[in-house]
Amino acid sequence: GGFSYIQQVQSYGVPSDLVTVGTNGSPLLKEPLGIQQPPGTIAGFSRRLVLDDESFLLVSYFEHVSDASDTVVITHHDAAGMQLAPGTTLSGAYAGDLILAKSTRGDVLAAYIDSDPATQSGQALYIVPLSHDGVPMATPVAVPIVGAADSPFDFALDPSPSGDMILTWVTYDQNPSAPTGFFAAEIDPAGSPRGPALRLGASAGNVSVVVSTDGAHALVVYTPLSGNAGGVALGVHTLPLECAMH
């Protein structure tokens, strides 16, 4: 047994090596990941999701120097770091705003920001199911966000024992008396919301959601983004929810 981490050998370079360490913290193995950096880009990585078989999905991003646009690539590696399939480019995704999550059934969902001309901000939050090789399994689904004056941020996906995910996010709102809103929605394994989003409060950060073993109830744990936001004091807060029944 042991642990591993991704090592980026040079600043703004591709994620270069998977370093495996023993339970005592001593290095055991360094395996090159073999990810190719396109010319004229600044590279980095943002997320790694470990799957049930100990293989993992890695999100790398390449910012093009010429126009500051991003190319986001998802690669599948075995536990030793060997790449198992060609990388998948997720077009339109903003690298710093892409998260991966695994359901209790082993399904993988990605959440990311992309353009949407139908919204006031010109952006929307999208959900898409992925194969274990990181390949999209369906058309990305835009999460309906009502009243948002800007793109959502601080979003997270937390698994439910039912196989669903609980999606939470914060967005700037059009209401001047409550400039931010904190929302949640239950997402099915295909990436679609099971019902309308629920506004939970004015603001939140460091959000974590714990769902009961029967998938019927959830407890949201969070901290407000600022003191007295919507009359809420700073500190750790909890909020009970009832999940969508299906």
Side-chain angles (χ1 to χ4, degrees):
F3 308 91
S4 65
Y5 62 90
I6 304 295
Q7 184 176 59
Q8 194 168 351
V9 174
Q10 62 182 21
S11 297
Y12 305 112
V14 296
S16 303
D17 301 312
L18 178 75
V19 181
T20 303
V21 298
T23 53
N24 63 354
S26 59
L28 298 176
L29 180 68
K30 181 184 289 187
E31 180 72 24
L33 293 173
I35 298 173
Q36 300 299 312
Q37 179 175 351
T41 63
I42 298 173
F45 63 99
S46 58
R47 298 290 189 277
R48 179 168 69 136
L49 178 69
V50 178
L51 305 176
D52 292 339
D53 61 359
E54 297 186 357
S55 67
F56 61 89
L57 294 176
L58 179 66
V59 178
S60 303
Y61 60 89
F62 305 97
E63 181 181 339
H64 297 267
V65 177
S66 59
D67 59 5
S69 63
D70 282 339
T71 295
V72 178
V73 179
I74 303 175
T75 48
H76 186 200
H77 301 260
D78 66 16
M82 181 177 295
Q83 189 168 327
L84 299 175
T88 298
T89 299
L90 201 57
S91 60
Y94 294 82
D97 294 320
L98 185 144
I99 60 173
L100 300 176
K102 182 183 65 177
S103 77
T104 55
R105 305 191 321 175
D107 301 311
V108 176
L109 290 181
Y112 62 95
I113 302 296
D114 196 0
S115 59
D116 184 351
T119 65
Q120 181 176 344
S121 66
Q123 295 179 336
L125 177 57
Y126 287 83
I127 308 291
V128 62
L130 303 178
S131 73
H132 284 188
D133 282 333
V135 178
M137 302 287 287
T139 302
V141 176
V143 178
I145 299 176
V146 178
D150 205 345
S151 60
F153 59 96
D154 279 358
F155 52 92
L157 283 167
D158 288 278
S160 164
S162 67
D164 283 0
M165 294 275 191
I166 306 299
L167 174 68
T168 54
W169 70 91
V170 178
T171 185
Y172 291 107
D173 200 77
Q174 294 175 339
N175 183 354
S177 63
T180 60
F182 171 36
F183 297 85
E186 186 168 354
I187 307 296
D188 70 19
S192 297
R194 290 203 180 271
L198 177 65
R199 185 183 177 106
L200 303 180
S203 69
N206 303 309
V207 178
S208 180
V209 180
V210 181
V211 184
S212 61
T213 55
D214 60 4
H217 300 87
L219 187 68
V220 181
V221 182
Y222 68 97
T223 57
L225 292 177
S226 60
N228 202 34
V232 178
L234 289 174
V236 178
H237 294 257
T238 60
L239 182 65
L241 298 177
E242 183 175 330
C243 299
M245 300 306 292
H246 51 87

